[in-house]
């Protein structure tokens, strides 16, 4: 038995489902379950197999695993202290940096996970407006708090989602009608900058969607919350709203903000600062200075290399190369989403069986993709990674049954 299988058996005895949450499906995909080490664009599993990682830990890895500048900054802060009885100067520096970097941001609060930021954003919007309802996009993901989950999810009750109104992505008419029906009761409209569901095409905003949506909300006194947790810093370093031409009241970041160190941020404009000041929200580890130092170093590096452009360019090349490879085997590979976060499908592949098999073969040969979720490109991926990945992709298509 492989080390990975042995660990998974042990895990099943002491951890519900063995591995839970979004990491839980790996064993179903015949891919490794446990890593031993990671560096740059690659990780090595507990059986000694190394993979070019096109999932980037589901987004946090943006500069490369074990990036020296980030790790040194974290180690320097760790030597001074992490969670101490007082806040750290680095918290102020990080807030100043984000306010400077992110379009329209005038203050920042910190948490650990993306859901801390999205959950706090909604509380702030309710505190600022005195209203109780939330508009969200059908299939949009904001974390695992009960209100964020689909109706009927185990562990939630109907009450948890009672104040959530769900509308389809890119549907301005739907937004108009819920605003017309319920406007004075609605605190906020929360959405990612584009629609990136699992198991379905990712869909960019229609021309003018965001400007109209933000305007419609502003006219009705509804706050706009941008959930940039997954997309943050891969589309535009000033926030994805800078790319799509609108200004949210609240902006949520997580994942890539500290290149894998645990920290998230809620940023806001001064018009909602009173809501942030009134809301009690905290956590034992929220003030830990080590991830804050890592975030400062990450943001500095992202700016220094213009990471969003690097990632978009690399993603473009990766995707074009894969489309060509697929075509040479008679497959029509469709890529949706932004170039640096590609979601792959094969046209005509009903049931996704061909894609699933191709992704599995790519994994066996050393390129780690997912078939049901968008993939991620980092600034650490290299031309060698691209060449090796295209060669692996070619071989993998060749191994599929005709
Ligand atoms: C768009 C979006 N929002 C929020 C979250 C929640 O972040 P976390 O899992 O760090 O709580 C995620 C996580 O995947 C996400 O993709």
């Amino acid at each position: 038995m492989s080390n990975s299988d042995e660990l998974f058996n042990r895990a099943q005895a002491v951890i519900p489902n063995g591995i839970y949450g979004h990491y839980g499906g790996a064993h179903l995909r015949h891919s490794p379950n446990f890593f031993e080490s990671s560096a740059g664009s690659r990780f090595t599993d507990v059986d000694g197999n190394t993979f070019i990682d096109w999932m980037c830990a589901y987004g946090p890895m943006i500069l490369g695993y074990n990036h020296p500048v980030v790790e040194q900054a974290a180690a320097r802060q760790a030597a001074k202290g992490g969670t101490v009885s007082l806040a750290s100067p680095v918290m102020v520096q990080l807030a100043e940096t984000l306010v400077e970097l992110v379009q329209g941001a005038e203050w920042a609060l910190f948490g650990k996970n993306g859901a801390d930021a999205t959950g706090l954003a909604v509380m702030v919007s309710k505190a600022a407006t005195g209203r109780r309802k939330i508009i969200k996009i059908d299939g949009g993901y904001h974390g695992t708090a009960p209100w964020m989950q689909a109706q009927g999810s185990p562990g939630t009750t109907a009450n948890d989602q009672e104040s959530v109104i769900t509308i389809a992505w890119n549907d301005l008419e739907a937004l108009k009608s819920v605003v017309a029906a319920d406007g004075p009761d609605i605190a906020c409209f929360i959405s990612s900058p584009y629609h990136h569901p699992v198991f379905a095409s990712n869909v960019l905003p229609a021309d003018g969607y965001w400007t109209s949506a933000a305007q419609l909300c502003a006219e009705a006194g509804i706050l706009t919350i941008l959930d940039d947790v997954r997309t943050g810093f891969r589309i535009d370093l000033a926030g994805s709203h800078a790319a799509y031409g609108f200004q949210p009241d609240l902006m949520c970041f997580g994942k890539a903000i500290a290149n894998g160190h645990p920290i998230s941020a809620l940023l806001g404009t001064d018009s909602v600062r009173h809501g942030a000041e009134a809301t009690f929200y905290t956590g034992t580890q929220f003030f830990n200075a080590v991830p804050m130092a890592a975030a400062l170093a990450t943001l500095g590096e992202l700016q220094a290399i213009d990471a969003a452009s690097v990632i978009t360019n690399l993603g473009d090349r990766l995707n074009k190369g894969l489309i060509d490879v697929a075509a040479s085997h008679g497959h029509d590979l469709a890529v949706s989403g932004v170039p640096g976060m590609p979601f792959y499908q094969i046209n005509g592949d009903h049931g996704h069986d061909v894609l699933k098999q191709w992704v599995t073969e790519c994994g066996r040969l050393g390129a780690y993709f997912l078939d049901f979720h968008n993939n991620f490109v980092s600034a650490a991926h290299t031309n060698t990674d691209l060449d090796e990945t295209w060669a692996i992709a070619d071989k993998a298509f060749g191994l599929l049954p005709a």
Side-chain angles (χ1 to χ4, degrees), residues 113-115 118 141-143 192 196 227 229-230 255:
N113 284 295
T118 53
Y141 185 75
H142 305 294
S192 50
H196 43 54
D227 179 352
V229 168
R230 194 183 307 180
K255 291 197 184 272

